[in-house]
Amino acid sequence: MIGDMGRWEPNARGRLEQAALELFIERGFEQTTVTEIANRAGLTQRTFFRYFADKREVLFWGQGALQDLLLGAVASAPDSAAPIDAVTAALQAAGAVLQERREYARQRQAVIAANAGLQERELIKLASLASAIAGALRQRGVTEPAASLTAEAGIAVFRIAFERWTQESSQADLPHCIRESLEELRAVTAGRTVPAV
Amino acid sequence: MIGDMGRWEPNARGRLEQAALELFIERGFEQTTVTEIANRAGLTQRTFFRYFADKREVLFWGQGALQDLLLGAVASAPDSAAPIDAVTAALQAAGAVLQERREYARQRQAVIAANAGLQERELIKLASLASAIAGALRQRGVTEPAASLTAEAGIAVFRIAFERWTQESSQADLPHCIRESLEELRAVTAGRTVPAV
């Protein structure tokens, strides 16, 4: 064990993440242990805990960076941008990052969909993201309730777009799905009939 | 204790609910015990458990009836109603019921706002409500993603309206706040500037 301390393992985080996803899909999230994840990745438990606090963290560690990216994009949107356009542009920027990891995103989504506790955690993350976006809009001078409504609308658009992107066999990219989903939200809130896509 | 079995206590549920809310506000949700709630209501623990599985249930038992009311209203909206109008009318019908218990709703909201675990539970309830409403819309022939987007938009509208109704000193009633909140959502999704209310 002493020999392991500080040993550099190439792409340890990525290997652990991949091993964890494979095992979560094969055996289920609850049934998978940290030891099994480390073994599958050819690494030690000690190395696992250098990167992740627990096995759930493997699925959620990227959310902080995603939130930073979103809030930065909302803050730096042109002054002239309408709040919904600032939020949509931010979501599309985040979507472009996720697009690069489509297969990972699909696998992660399948794992979360199969576990009620993970779904709740995802829900809580999205709610706190909506609340952070509303705060960023208020910083831009948007008043309430417009700030919260815009943020909630943005998160709803993102969820629906993300679901379509991960589930469908279509080759549409995530930023495109987000734009389409926003148009659909506009149509449904206006009470217009939504054309089949 | 035997003498207590089956004894009829007038409005036991209401007394327990009121006692629980008072104690949750005075001491915090975590610090309050079922025994204290029963004592405050002048009833026994046994009576408490005849009505509620645990102290958290005191805050959430009404949600099943609320969901039934909402789904019934969506199902029975005129065929000609746009999905968003069917959902808004249903939310306003539920809002009219809640309006009758405004003081209770405010106290309940204060208790939930002070406890992260209760906030999560509320969030999960709202998400499952959105999913049930989307199902009721699909039953009306609304396709996806319009059904889910409409349901999510409706829940966002409801949350914002409810917050304003419970927090503000204004005398606006909840169905009115819901209508106003929908108009604001329409304005923000359309990218229009929202007039100050």
Side-chain angles (χ1 to χ4, degrees):
Chain A
M1 291 303 285
I2 291 172
D4 180 55
M5 280 193 65
R7 186 165 69 200
W8 181 77
E9 295 286 358
N11 190 25
R13 184 190 286 278
R15 285 158 63 192
L16 288 164
E17 194 172 65
Q18 189 52 45
L21 273 182
E22 286 172 17
L23 287 163
F24 294 161
I25 289 168
E26 288 168 25
R27 308 186 185 174
F29 176 78
E30 297 295 354
Q31 287 71 43
T32 300
T33 67
V34 165
T35 309
E36 289 168 334
I37 295 169
N39 287 349
R40 171 77 61 108
L43 296 166
T44 61
Q45 264 202 57
R46 180 188 289 259
T47 302
F48 179 93
F49 288 116
R50 219 176 278 152
Y51 291 94
F52 304 107
D54 54 35
K55 64 179 176 174
R56 197 175 67 165
E57 193 61 18
V58 179
L59 297 166
F60 292 97
W61 71 274
Q63 305 260 337
L66 193 70
Q67 174 158 330
D68 291 348
L69 189 159
L70 276 168
L71 299 187
V74 169
S76 63
D79 286 351
S80 61
I84 191 70
D85 292 324
V87 170
T88 304
L91 292 170
Q92 288 183 299
V97 173
L98 292 171
Q99 180 68 36
E100 298 300 309
R101 303 193 70 200
R102 181 179 188 142
E103 194 45 37
Y104 164 78
R106 288 189 171 191
Q107 290 177 342
R108 177 180 178 279
Q109 196 66 8
V111 171
I112 288 174
N115 183 290
L118 296 175
Q119 284 173 49
E120 293 183 1
R121 165 98 172 161
E122 182 85 332
L123 212 53
I124 289 157
K125 282 274 180 183
L126 286 172
S128 82
L129 199 53
S131 158
I133 291 173
L137 289 172
R138 286 192 300 272
Q139 288 286 322
R140 288 173 62 85
V142 181
T143 53
E144 288 294 352
S148 289
L149 277 166
T150 306
E152 296 278 349
I155 291 299
V157 159
F158 183 79
R159 281 181 62 178
I160 304 294
F162 190 85
E163 211 164 281
R164 191 184 313 171
W165 176 67
T166 49
Q167 284 179 351
E168 265 183 27
S169 53
S170 99
Q171 292 305 305
D173 68 13
L174 183 52
H176 176 81
C177 292
I178 290 168
R179 170 55 55 185
E180 214 169 58
S181 180
L182 172 65
E183 291 310 325
E184 282 156 356
L185 178 66
R186 282 183 169 145
V188 300
T189 55
R192 295 199 304 275
T193 305
V194 182
V197 181
Chain B
M1 291 304 285
I2 291 171
D4 179 57
M5 279 194 63
R7 186 164 70 199
W8 182 76
E9 294 285 359
N11 190 26
R13 183 190 287 277
R15 285 157 64 191
L16 288 163
E17 193 173 64
Q18 188 53 44
L21 272 182
E22 286 172 16
L23 286 163
F24 293 161
I25 288 168
E26 288 168 25
R27 308 186 185 174
F29 176 77
E30 297 295 353
Q31 286 73 42
T32 301
T33 67
V34 166
T35 309
E36 289 167 334
I37 296 169
N39 286 348
R40 172 76 62 106
L43 296 166
T44 62
Q45 264 202 57
R46 180 190 288 258
T47 302
F48 179 94
F49 287 117
R50 219 175 278 150
Y51 290 94
F52 304 107
D54 55 35
K55 63 179 177 174
R56 196 175 70 165
E57 193 60 19
V58 179
L59 297 167
F60 292 98
W61 70 275
Q63 305 260 337
L66 193 70
Q67 175 158 331
D68 291 348
L69 189 158
L70 276 167
L71 299 187
V74 169
S76 63
D79 285 351
S80 61
I84 191 70
D85 293 323
V87 170
T88 304
L91 291 170
Q92 289 184 298
V97 172
L98 292 171
Q99 180 67 35
E100 299 298 310
R101 301 194 71 199
R102 183 179 187 141
E103 194 45 38
Y104 164 78
R106 287 189 174 194
Q107 290 176 342
R108 177 180 178 278
Q109 196 65 8
V111 170
I112 288 174
N115 184 290
L118 295 175
Q119 284 172 48
E120 293 182 2
R121 165 98 171 161
E122 183 85 331
L123 213 53
I124 290 156
K125 280 274 179 183
L126 286 172
S128 83
L129 199 54
S131 157
I133 291 172
L137 288 172
R138 287 193 299 271
Q139 288 286 320
R140 288 173 61 84
V142 180
T143 53
E144 287 295 353
S148 289
L149 278 166
T150 306
E152 295 278 348
I155 291 297
V157 159
F158 183 80
R159 282 182 61 178
I160 304 294
F162 191 85
E163 212 164 279
R164 190 185 312 173
W165 176 68
T166 49
Q167 283 178 352
E168 265 183 27
S169 51
S170 100
Q171 291 306 305
D173 68 12
L174 183 53
H176 177 80
C177 292
I178 289 168
R179 169 55 56 185
E180 214 168 58
S181 179
L182 173 65
E183 291 310 324
E184 282 155 357
L185 178 67
R186 281 182 170 146
V188 300
T189 54
R192 294 199 303 274
T193 306
V194 182
V197 181

